[in-house]
Amino acid sequence: PTASCSVARTASSWSLHDAVGSNGVVVWDGDDFEEHSFTRVLDKFLKSSCTPGVAFFYRELKDSFVSSWVDRAQCYAGGVHLVLLDRPEWVAGGESGWLRLGREALRLSGGRRIVAIGGGGTAADEATACAQLDEGKVRWTVFRVPRAGDPNDFGSLVERVESEAWSHVELRGYSAIR
């Protein structure tokens, strides 16, 4: 991104822009775009910033990612990069495969700061793994964002943050992006 990059930001997206910072990079697990998913907020964020996006995904699912994001990514000033990983046979399915993908993304990117927009069970497992394995070196900021289908459902990650005493996680409120 260049210093001359200029985009319009809605007032409700400022806190997310502040959390990522001017030199930040958005990394995610390659989830397809869905109106009822955190990816709706990710899409609006990438459209309103010069922040580059990096998606980690399993090689055999590349076509799914490309078909979901190719048209949207053309609107992102910072662009999107796709890192494809081979899925080991021992994680052929289930939630453990997604946890492994998240841990690999963290290891390969060298990230020490995670900004989560809500989050489901896998994100909660990733935060738990960071608490247990990373000795507090990885800091999390979790935005309390409801899922689009249910304004009272903030996801498993928020539930875990509210019920457990994690010193590496900060929970923040968030104004909905519409």
Side-chain angles (χ1 to χ4, degrees):
T2 63
S4 63
C5 181
S6 176
V7 293
R9 295 181 185 166
T10 63
S12 61
S13 69
W14 276 107
S15 60
L16 193 53
H17 285 277
D18 291 343
V20 173
S22 61
N23 295 318
V25 175
V26 172
V27 176
W28 83 100
D29 64 2
D31 277 0
D32 289 345
F33 174 82
E34 294 284 339
E35 284 294 333
H36 298 287
S37 166
F38 80 92
T39 57
R40 78 186 186 286
V41 178
L42 176 64
D43 177 60
K44 290 181 185 291
F45 174 79
L46 291 172
K47 282 180 181 172
S48 68
S49 76
C50 296
T51 303
V54 178
F56 283 78
F57 214 44
Y58 287 121
R59 188 174 313 280
E60 75 266 18
L61 301 174
K62 175 185 174 186
D63 292 342
S64 173
F65 177 87
V66 170
S67 67
S68 181
W69 289 99
V70 68
D71 292 334
R72 294 179 177 289
Q74 293 176 25
C75 300
Y76 304 156
V80 171
H81 305 275
L82 179 59
V83 178
L84 296 171
L85 302 176
D86 292 321
R87 186 189 321 229
E89 289 180 28
W90 61 270
V91 293
E95 293 299 309
S96 66
W98 299 115
L99 175 59
R100 184 212 176 256
L101 182 70
R103 295 296 296 165
E104 278 298 289
L106 189 59
R107 185 184 68 80
L108 293 170
S109 69
R112 292 288 173 242
R113 192 164 148 232
I114 295 173
V115 176
I117 305 164
T122 301
D125 291 345
E126 289 177 31
T128 299
C130 285
Q132 294 170 347
L133 304 173
D134 298 325
E135 301 170 352
K137 295 176 187 169
V138 177
R139 309 290 304 165
W140 285 63
T141 301
V142 178
F143 285 93
R144 194 173 190 272
V145 176
R147 294 172 184 239
D150 181 352
N152 298 311
D153 179 5
F154 296 95
S156 300
L157 176 58
V158 171
E159 289 175 15
R160 294 276 300 275
V161 170
E162 290 176 338
S163 68
E164 298 189 25
W166 284 335
S167 62
H168 71 295
V169 179
E170 174 189 3
L171 183 62
R172 289 189 187 178
Y174 188 72
S175 299
I177 294 179
R178 303 219 188 274

